[in-house]
Amino acid sequence: MRQLFLLMILAAAGCLTSCENNETAKEQQPIPPVKIQTPAASKDPIEIGFSMDTLEEERWYKDRDLFKQAAENLGANVRVMAANGNDALQVLQAETLIDQGVDLLVVVPHNAEATAAIVHKAHLAGIKVISYDRLIRNADIDFYVSFDNEQVGELQAKAISSMVPKGKYVYIGGAETDNNAHLFKKGVFNVLQSSIDRGDITIIYDAWTKNWDPENAYKHMKQALEANAGEIDAVIAANDATAGGAIQALEEAGLAGKVPVAGQDADLAAAQRIVDGTQTMTVYKPIRKLAEEVAKLAVKLAEGEDIEGQETVNNGKSHVPYLLLPPIAVDANNLDETIIFDGFHTQEDVYSR
């Protein structure tokens, strides 16, 4: 009996110990770790290829820097290549950007026709193309952003014809391969044609300037002066670089500051000539606005968003959606309120000469 009692006590004690150990085990069981959801790695920034005709003119350095800044502010990267007027090189550089896997291509064409090959190659790789400031012709470009280039010519002609309503005019055009050069000229003759028809204005010299080269513009002006015994009343040049070449020839003939000269681009040298009185006016195209608009559109297109233009323009192959920005006529009366106020040039630089 006594042995049975001892066995019962031992069994009860064992049960208590076992139960206590089980509870302790439960209490001491490690807490499973909390799973923290690691955020997905952010997507790579958009890569934009910027194929430029040239960096041999002051204006295009500004476009390059402003566009890069605007695109980078939107989180994109920009790869720039400039062909300096070489059509074959521009196509090769664009192919390089395509092979590097850019998400979108922005093109400033040197030759409006030759760069159609760039668009074709980009589209084969699934890359969209924006035509920057100059229209690429005979290609299915995805968007075109520029200034109202006919209006540029109209502003030039209005300024000069208001000063010289009658007389002998020289027109020095831009590069014939540049679609904008044709638009500038069209705008000029939109304004002058009625005076030409009346016989009030005579165009005594009219030539394209190969590659927009100021040296070629200088030669044109020399030829015009020689052919007309120096009797010239007004000059309209397609941009400030060609205006500079023309003014050099006028200086040599003793006519600088006596013959009104129009240009466009608002180059620093042109602004200084306006202050000096050797150039009458220029046309300012706020390229910061252009660069910012193209950057925004480029990012949207690269991300697959649909964008709409103001209207469409026929480039010989398709109707291209476009956005045109307004240009501004600048002369000695509004230099400070336009290009200096916008920070395009500093007052010190413009008036330092």
Side-chain angles (χ1 to χ4, degrees), residues 25 35 97 111 118 153 162 175 179 183 221 223 225 260 273 275 283 290 303 307 336 348:
K35 291 185 178 180
L97 291 168
N111 185 313
I118 293 174
S162 67
N179 189 67
L183 296 174
M221 195 70 233
Q223 291 171 2
L225 287 163
R273 289 193 295 264
V275 172
V283 179
L290 172 66
E303 291 179 339
I307 56 176
D336 290 4
E348 180 181 5

Side-chain angles (χ1 to χ4, degrees), residues 105-175:
L105 204 56
V106 176
V107 180
V108 182
H110 170 253
N111 185 313
E113 302 285 346
T115 42
I118 293 174
V119 181
H120 178 67
K121 293 174 186 291
H123 283 177
L124 286 176
I127 298 169
K128 292 183 178 179
V129 179
I130 294 177
S131 195
Y132 183 107
D133 193 47
R134 300 172 180 170
L135 182 64
I136 299 172
R137 292 190 52 78
N138 293 313
D140 292 318
I141 55 176
D142 298 282
F143 211 87
Y144 167 51
V145 187
S146 187
F147 293 91
D148 187 332
N149 292 306
E150 277 191 45
Q151 189 181 4
V152 169
E154 290 169 355
L155 291 173
Q156 290 180 307
K158 286 175 182 177
I160 297 301
S161 62
S162 67
M163 298 179 66
V164 185
K166 296 182 179 181
K168 297 177 179 179
Y169 276 53
V170 169
Y171 184 74
I172 297 180

Side-chain angles (χ1 to χ4, degrees), residues 223-232 255:
Q223 291 171 2
L225 287 163
E226 291 168 4
N228 293 277
E231 294 183 8
I232 292 171
L255 295 173

Side-chain angles (χ1 to χ4, degrees), residues 289-350:
K289 179 68 172 175
L290 172 66
E292 290 173 349
E293 290 294 334
V294 175
K296 285 188 283 189
L297 292 168
V299 170
K300 286 181 179 180
L301 271 179
E303 291 179 339
E305 292 187 38
D306 293 328
I307 56 176
E308 294 183 0
Q310 294 168 328
E311 296 181 39
T312 61
V313 60
N314 189 328
N315 74 342
K317 184 173 184 180
S318 62
H319 291 277
V320 181
Y322 70 81
L323 172 65
L324 295 184
L325 306 172
I328 302 166
V330 174
D331 59 22
N333 296 315
N334 68 344
L335 271 171
D336 290 4
E337 292 79 22
T338 53
I339 59 177
I340 293 174
F341 178 80
D342 281 359
F344 192 70
H345 299 305
T346 67
Q347 188 170 42
E348 180 181 5
D349 287 342
V350 170

